[in-house]
Amino acid sequence: MTAKTLDALADVEAATVEVHDVHKWYGTHRVLDGVDLRVRPGEVTVILGPSGSGKSTLLRVINHLEKPEIGHVSINGELIGVRRQGERLKELSERAILTQRSRIGFVFQNFNLFPHLTVLDNVAAAPVATGKLGKPEAQELARELLGRVGLADRTGAYPRQLSGGQQQRVAIARALALRPGVILFDEPTSALDPELVGEVLAVIKDLASSGTTLVIVTHEIGFAREIADRVVFIDGGRIVEQGPPSEVLDKPRHERTRDFLSKVL
Ligand SMILES: Nc1ncnc2c1ncn2[C@@H]1O[C@H](COP(=O)(O)OP(=O)(O)OP(=O)(O)O)[C@@H](O)[C@H]1O
């Protein structure tokens, strides 16, 4: 293995994510209403909440796929999408935003793989496109990462030839290829047949135990109990309650959390 590939495989410093007083509207509909959140390095945060409560929007704001009207996000203390100029916050260039975004992995509900690329090239594409690695080194890295998610024998397949669980594992390997300090998961198992959920959760558990910072939106309460350092319950665009699973899931303080849990447990 080349020195460059080895470097690309080296452990990445887990990131701190801070969300400061974020408000987001779609037209006149307020979707996030003053969200403050701090995720420490290596911490696994699970976000729970009813449908439409703003969970996906919060992940999209963290990754700068959506811009909040008020508030901001920082990764390792570096502002995402804006920079301070005196007391004012100034927009970053599109290029700077892309650089920042490449430090954040995002795994979507529906995999979002490139249908015309093999599994290997799906994973190798981003390090090549961003100029971090040449194609042979990126493919070497992709082979390593696909081995890590249990797909070493499917590198030549196309996404349509894989099960949903396998496609989601490719998507996780792809998210890892840019060595992100944090990975965001938006309902990573909700598009899967029930028998395929376990294989994807096992890969996420492996990432959690390796000390990567993870923020996961999921409805899998048992998984949340097992994996989360902190559970955040969001409703109506606000964080209603947060804490360790033993508190939020087992002894919820807020009626809305109890209500939600009684419906999903
Ligand atoms: N691009 C958009 N334009 C307008 N409204 C939107 C847009 N995206 C989301 N919304 C609305 O914002 C609210 C929050 O959506 P969001 O997807 O963040 O919720 P969620 O908690 O992730 O829900 P679910 O669990 O159903 O995925 C919903 O009322 C949704 O209809």
Side-chain angles (χ1 to χ4, degrees):
M1 189 167 295
T2 63
K4 211 170 173 190
T5 320
L6 277 175
D7 183 45
L9 272 173
D11 278 343
V12 185
E13 207 177 316
T16 303
V17 179
E18 286 167 293
V19 175
H20 306 273
D21 191 29
V22 159
H23 297 251
K24 172 79 198 160
W25 280 264
Y26 287 118
T28 54
H29 180 191
R30 193 200 310 241
V31 180
L32 295 176
D33 186 8
V35 173
D36 280 298
L37 181 67
R38 184 161 199 271
V39 184
R40 294 176 190 84
E43 196 174 70
V44 178
T45 297
V46 169
I47 300 178
L48 298 178
S51 179
S53 56
K55 306 178 300 293
S56 297
T57 304
L58 176 57
L59 290 190
R60 293 171 64 79
V61 165
I62 292 174
N63 200 31
H64 204 72
L65 291 165
E66 298 286 353
K67 188 176 170 311
E69 276 72 32
I70 301 174
H72 57 270
V73 174
S74 62
I75 308 287
N76 290 338
E78 197 179 323
L79 290 172
I80 294 288
V82 288
R83 68 182 163 85
R84 283 196 190 283
Q85 197 179 53
E87 286 304 297
R88 288 179 38 232
L89 296 173
K90 194 174 176 228
E91 290 290 318
L92 284 181
S93 69
E94 201 48 39
R95 191 184 176 81
I97 289 170
L98 285 176
T99 306
Q100 288 181 333
R101 199 183 282 158
S102 74
R103 298 182 189 134
I104 305 171
F106 203 127
V107 176
F108 299 86
Q109 186 175 345
N110 292 315
F111 329 132
N112 280 16
L113 299 176
F114 301 118
H116 58 291
L117 295 184
T118 62
V119 162
L120 189 73
D121 285 337
N122 261 283
V123 179
V128 175
T130 52
K132 289 194 172 174
L133 291 175
K135 193 165 177 185
E137 287 129 354
Q139 289 187 334
E140 211 178 334
L141 171 66
R143 267 191 203 92
E144 286 287 333
L145 293 172
L146 286 163
R148 183 167 174 189
V149 300
L151 290 171
D153 56 342
R154 303 309 311 269
T155 55
Y158 286 87
R160 65 177 178 278
Q161 299 171 314
L162 302 181
S163 71
Q166 289 171 328
Q167 289 187 57
Q168 193 59 301
R169 285 187 280 148
V170 175
I172 294 171
R174 185 179 60 176
L176 288 169
L178 283 175
R179 307 177 68 214
V182 50
I183 306 182
L184 314 176
F185 291 86
D186 193 1
E187 299 194 28
T189 59
S190 57
L192 299 178
D193 291 337
E195 73 273 19
L196 301 177
V197 168
E199 65 188 59
V200 171
L201 296 185
V203 169
I204 301 174
K205 278 185 212 165
D206 172 55
L207 287 180
S209 60
S210 72
T212 314
T213 307
L214 306 179
V215 182
I216 307 168
V217 171
T218 182
H219 293 293
E220 301 280 342
I221 303 293
F223 172 65
R225 185 176 274 112
E226 237 181 288
I227 195 177
D229 296 301
R230 189 205 313 229
V231 174
V232 173
F233 177 70
I234 180 168
D235 195 9
R238 288 170 178 250
I239 293 179
V240 172
E241 161 159 19
Q242 60 178 305
S246 57
E247 288 176 15
V248 178
L249 298 178
D250 298 333
K251 287 173 267 172
R253 281 176 286 118
H254 205 287
E255 199 182 327
R256 279 192 279 171
T257 322
R258 286 197 288 275
D259 238 32
F260 172 78
L261 290 172
S262 71
K263 288 179 189 134
V264 295
L265 279 173

